[in-house]
Amino acid sequence: MSTDPYLSVKALTKYIKKKFDADPHLRDVYVKGELSNVKIHTSGHIYFTLKDNVARLPGVMFSASAKSVKFKPESGMTVLIRGDVSVYEASGQYQLYAQSMQSDGIGDYYLAFEQLKEKLAKEGLFNASHKKELPRFPKRIAVVTAQTGAAVRDIIITLYRRYPLADVVLFPTLVQGTGATQSIVKSIQAANKGEFDVLIVGRGGGSIEDLWAFNEEAVARVIFDSRIPVISAIGHETDTTIADFVSDLRAPTPTAAAELAVPSQAELLERVSNYRSRMYRVVSGTVNQQKQALNRYTSSLPLSYPERLYRPFIERVERATESLQRESLQHLKRSQERYRTLDQQLKSRVPLQRIRQSETEVAELSRRLDYQLDQLLKSRSQQLSSAIRTLDALSPLKIMDRGYSIPYVEGAVVKSVSQVKAGDRLTIAMKDGTVQTIVNEINPANGGD
């Protein structure tokens, strides 16, 4: 029975693979090299080539292991890989099956942080134009943090101390460890379903691993999509996360976040008190000014002795009224005399029928005379009203409103320079008071004496 000395490719490859798998030096190896030809499959597998200055080694990291990588592997990176070396039978190539991967020189978390930060910055998630303004007087505040711990205690105590008018609702959230990312996302989404004015997202201090959930892309995007203004308060002042860049306002601590979210009730009360005091001072000053102005007006010479201003005009009105009354009486007497004369003439010269006819004519004449007298009275009354309006328009007070003044010497109105002499003391009446002055020089108009 003859034996075929030739092996199939499959059989030889299987043999080589068994040798690789049986060699303990090829299991759990640590390799350092530069990544190239990196391809991340939709399934999550990572395909790459690890190289140095001399050799190249193809490699693969399946999705189960790739989930533990904090950064995004890229060509050109120098990495530290732990894994097994075996043969891929389909191609007959040996390759590295990576189980873990770390960046060489800088930490994985820092590298992942910078990569996500650069990615979101290019998308515009950090732009100031997307930042929402916080309300000055929030009515309802949502808090997304752990149910226990110093952070939630500091936030709630500060909110109630500064502004007890606001309602505070806590959304208990897992803020570190497995499932923290999903818990934070769900709490922010739940808060956005309610009616809240401000949303505080935070936690206390910790290591970068403890804070890492706030550096996840899912958390960054749910904060960006929040319709409620978000204040981030993650860790201590020196801690910075991706959530801080996306939020509308970053607070250095949870206590500071509560202080930024609400105004101080004590400061508001003090401000109201200052406004009240200022308003009282303004109103009191205005009232005092008006009182002083009123006192000046009432003590001015025209208002102190108003009869001196109106006396000449009152006399003119009285004379006009007396003249009108005399003319009316005289006219009435003449009409009555004419009527009696005519009546006597008619009775002595004409028959009774003619007398009756004349009486009718006299009655008509009397009616006409009464009408004319009434018209005359109305005309004179209108003239009197017109004269009164003219006198009012020419009133010294009206004239003084236009900037003129009235000089007096010893209580008498000065109408001519001939009434005064050098050294006389004049009282000048203006619309809002009087001025005392002494005559130094007299200059008659047109060169007169």
Side-chain angles (χ1 to χ4, degrees):
M1 182 177 180
S2 60
T3 303
D4 188 355
Y6 296 96
L7 298 174
S8 64
V9 175
K10 178 180 178 181
L12 181 58
T13 303
K14 279 186 173 291
Y15 178 78
I16 295 173
K17 181 176 176 3
K18 287 181 180 181
K19 289 292 185 180
F20 271 79
D21 294 342
D23 189 341
H25 298 292
L26 298 179
R27 293 198 299 271
D28 203 23
V29 297
Y30 293 79
V31 187
K32 176 181 178 180
E34 179 184 336
L35 291 175
S36 64
N37 299 326
V38 177
K39 296 180 181 178
I40 301 178
H41 197 269
T42 55
S43 62
H45 305 328
I46 303 174
Y47 299 93
F48 58 90
T49 298
L50 195 65
K51 66 178 183 177
D52 56 19
N53 294 333
V54 179
R56 302 167 65 89
L57 175 62
V60 61
M61 175 178 272
F62 295 119
S63 59
S65 300
K67 292 179 180 179
S68 64
V69 180
K70 299 298 181 183
F71 60 94
K72 179 183 178 182
E74 296 177 351
S75 298
M77 289 182 177
T78 300
V79 294
L80 304 175
I81 295 179
R82 182 178 67 84
D84 301 327
V85 178
S86 186
V87 175
Y88 180 50
E89 297 182 38
S91 62
Q93 290 182 325
Y94 75 93
Q95 62 183 13
L96 177 63
Y97 291 87
Q99 297 175 1
S100 67
M101 181 184 297
Q102 297 179 3
S103 61
D104 184 35
I106 58 176
D108 294 349
Y109 287 105
Y110 177 78
L111 181 59
F113 177 89
E114 290 298 325
Q115 287 178 337
L116 181 58
K117 178 182 174 183
E118 181 181 1
K119 174 184 177 181
L120 298 182
K122 288 181 179 179
E123 294 183 22
L125 269 68
F126 305 157
N127 292 351
S129 59
H130 296 307
K131 305 298 183 183
K132 293 178 284 294
E133 186 176 356
L134 271 65
R136 292 185 61 187
F137 306 104
K139 296 179 180 179
R140 303 192 73 214
I141 301 172
V143 179
V144 172
T145 189
Q147 189 170 6
T148 59
V152 64
R153 183 175 63 253
D154 292 344
I155 291 173
I156 293 178
I157 290 176
T158 303
L159 289 176
Y160 282 128
R161 172 177 56 82
R162 285 177 60 86
Y163 197 66
L165 300 177
D167 294 331
V168 181
V169 178
L170 174 66
F171 289 82
T173 306
L174 185 64
V175 294
Q176 73 179 62
T178 305
T181 300
Q182 292 78 8
S183 179
I184 296 170
V185 170
K186 289 181 180 179
S187 294
I188 295 176
Q189 291 174 339
N192 273 268
K193 294 179 181 178
E195 295 297 328
F196 294 98
D197 302 307
V198 180
L199 172 59
I200 298 177
V201 178
R203 58 152 293 154
S207 65
I208 188 172
E209 291 85 359
D210 295 336
L211 305 178
W212 191 253
F214 295 94
N215 287 318
E216 295 289 354
E217 183 174 354
V219 173
R221 294 195 180 278
V222 76
I223 291 177
F224 181 79
D225 293 336
S226 173
R227 62 175 180 79
I228 307 171
V230 177
I231 302 176
S232 63
I234 301 161
H236 301 299
E237 187 171 1
T238 56
D239 298 322
T240 303
T241 65
I242 296 296
D244 293 324
F245 290 107
V246 185
S247 63
D248 300 294
L249 183 63
R250 183 208 177 226
T253 62
T255 300
E259 293 176 346
L260 292 171
V262 295
S264 170
Q265 179 179 248
E267 293 175 0
L268 292 175
L269 292 174
E270 182 179 0
R271 190 180 305 174
V272 170
S273 177
N274 292 336
Y275 286 152
R276 184 187 294 112
S277 300
R278 188 184 307 173
M279 183 175 63
Y280 176 78
R281 289 195 300 269
V282 171
V283 173
S284 298
T286 302
V287 170
N288 290 333
Q289 290 177 0
Q290 296 300 323
K291 283 184 177 179
Q292 293 174 3
L294 179 60
N295 291 333
R296 286 197 303 271
Y297 291 142
T298 54
S299 61
S300 64
L301 186 59
L303 293 180
S304 299
Y305 305 98
E307 68 279 0
R308 294 184 179 181
L309 299 175
Y310 282 100
R311 186 181 298 161
F313 302 98
I314 293 173
E315 292 175 356
R316 291 175 60 183
V317 171
E318 290 177 351
R319 287 196 297 269
T321 303
E322 291 174 358
S323 176
L324 178 61
Q325 291 175 347
R326 284 197 304 271
E327 292 181 3
S328 300
L329 290 174
Q330 291 174 359
H331 184 77
L332 180 60
K333 288 179 179 179
R334 287 195 299 268
S335 298
Q336 289 176 347
E337 290 176 356
R338 290 176 61 188
Y339 175 78
R340 285 194 297 270
T341 302
L342 182 61
D343 183 59
Q344 291 174 359
Q345 292 176 353
L346 290 174
K347 288 181 178 178
S348 63
R349 297 180 182 179
V350 297
L352 181 60
Q353 183 178 2
R354 185 71 179 270
I355 291 174
R356 290 178 179 174
Q357 183 179 358
S358 299
E359 288 178 348
T360 303
E361 293 176 357
V362 169
E364 176 63 22
L365 179 60
S366 177
R367 186 188 63 78
R368 292 173 60 185
L369 288 174
D370 290 340
Y371 174 77
Q372 291 178 1
L373 179 59
D374 182 64
Q375 293 299 312
L376 178 61
L377 289 174
K378 288 183 179 179
S379 175
R380 292 306 179 98
S381 177
Q382 292 174 357
Q383 292 176 5
L384 178 60
S385 298
S386 177
I388 292 174
R389 288 194 297 271
T390 302
L391 291 176
D392 183 65
L394 296 176
S395 166
L397 293 180
K398 295 285 186 177
I399 295 174
M400 285 190 288
D401 281 341
R402 300 197 294 270
Y404 294 93
S405 58
I406 301 175
Y408 292 85
V409 60
E410 296 180 356
V413 177
V414 178
K415 301 180 181 180
S416 172
V417 295
S418 61
Q419 294 179 247
V420 296
K421 60 182 181 297
D424 282 351
R425 182 180 297 275
L426 293 183
T427 300
I428 301 176
M430 300 180 180
K431 72 169 187 176
D432 56 352
T434 60
V435 175
Q436 303 293 331
T437 184
I438 297 176
V439 178
N440 293 323
E441 184 178 351
I442 300 174
N443 299 309
N446 300 323
D449 291 336

